[in-house]
Amino acid sequence: MGCDAGGEEAAAERKASKKAGAVEVVAPADVEVLANLTGCKVTIRIEARELREGACHTETGDYLITTFPEERYKLTWLDSAAYGGTFLVGPRWAISAQPEVLEPLRAKVGGTVRRLRDPNATTGS
C-alpha cells in the first residue's frame, strides 16, 4: 500500500526515458537547476504555492520551465493544458517549448516528451 501515484508516474517516466535513449539521471524539480543544466539564465515569471515558472531565451529557442511542489500539481497542470502542446516532463517539472527545442533539452535534463491533444481541434473528414 505505501506507494503513491506520483511516485509510480515518476518511475514510469524514468523507465520511458531510458528506453528512449535519454540521459539516465532526470533533473530535480528546481527552476534554477533546470535552467542551469540547459544553459539558460532564467527569468522567474510566477512564484505561487502550486508552481514556479521561469522563462528562458537561448540560441536553441525559447521555453518555459515549470516546477511543482508535488506530482499531483503537475498532473493537474498538464490536464488543464486546454491548448494541447508538446512538453518535456520529469518528476515534478515540465518544460514548454516547440517540439524541435525539446529534444536537445531532453539530452541535458532527461524526462519524457509528451504530446497533448488540443481538445478544441477539429479533424477534417
Side-chain angles (χ1 to χ4, degrees), residues 74-87 96 115-122:
K74 179 189 82 178
L75 297 174
T76 300
W77 184 83
L78 287 169
D79 286 344
S80 66
Y83 50 86
T86 305
F87 302 90
S96 313
R115 289 170 184 80
L116 304 179
R117 273 190 30 240
D118 179 353
N120 300 315
T122 57

Side-chain angles (χ1 to χ4, degrees), residues 1 8-9 18 23 27 43 50 54 56-57 67 71 76 80 83 89 100 104 111 114 118:
M1 277 259 189
E8 291 171 9
E9 176 162 312
K18 287 180 186 177
V23 293
T43 302
E50 300 85 9
C56 286
H57 304 286
T67 61
E71 189 71 8
T76 300
S80 66
Y83 50 86
V89 180
E100 62 273 9
R114 292 186 52 188
D118 179 353

Side-chain angles (χ1 to χ4, degrees), residues 31-32 34-36 38-47 52-58 61-67 94-96 105:
V31 172
E32 289 81 5
L34 287 160
N36 187 47
T38 62
C40 155
K41 183 175 181 194
V42 69
T43 302
I44 300 298
R45 296 178 5 146
I46 298 173
E47 291 258 11
R52 288 185 77 225
E53 183 176 88
C56 286
H57 304 286
T58 67
D62 297 339
Y63 49 97
L64 298 175
I65 299 171
T66 309
T67 61
I95 298 176
S96 313
L105 295 177

Side-chain angles (χ1 to χ4, degrees), residues 6-7 9-10 13 69-76 90-93:
E9 176 162 312
E13 286 176 358
E70 295 179 32
E71 189 71 8
R72 66 186 174 107
Y73 292 119
K74 179 189 82 178
L75 297 174
T76 300
R92 295 184 11 239
W93 58 262

